[in-house]
Amino acid sequence: MASGFSYTGGRSRCFAYWQEFQKCYAQADAPQQCQLQAEDYLECLHHTKEIARANAVKAEFIKKAEHQATVGRKVADILADGVIVGVGLIQRDKGGQDK
């Protein structure tokens, strides 16, 4: 935490996580006791787990698109159907028209 201030001058987005880590570290007998708070703070700063999860979702989507391409659909058609993350509420019919 460089200054403790955000870009606009207020609290930074990770300040609450920093306070939790600092509070744990001040009361802990060993630094290893605060590993969870440290991970939360670092995730807030760098978003490493979030990025890894997004990459896994993207890889699975591409894998699914390639599998469907072997079945008969073109990869470009599959990728043009929409976004990577979806809940599957809107389905396309066989003719390519939306319902």
Side-chain angles (χ1 to χ4, degrees), residues 1-5 12-22 34-49:
M1 188 159 186
S3 67
F5 295 103
S12 68
R13 69 173 189 264
C14 301
F15 185 70
Y17 294 106
W18 171 252
Q19 282 185 320
E20 288 295 319
F21 173 69
Q22 188 177 21
C34 300
Q35 188 66 32
L36 294 175
Q37 288 86 353
E39 286 179 9
D40 288 343
Y41 176 62
L42 290 174
E43 175 62 24
C44 181
L45 287 176
H46 304 294
H47 305 288
T48 51
K49 292 178 186 177

Side-chain angles (χ1 to χ4, degrees), residues 61 78-86:
F61 178 77
I78 297 165
L79 295 176
D81 279 344
V83 296
I84 292 175
V85 179

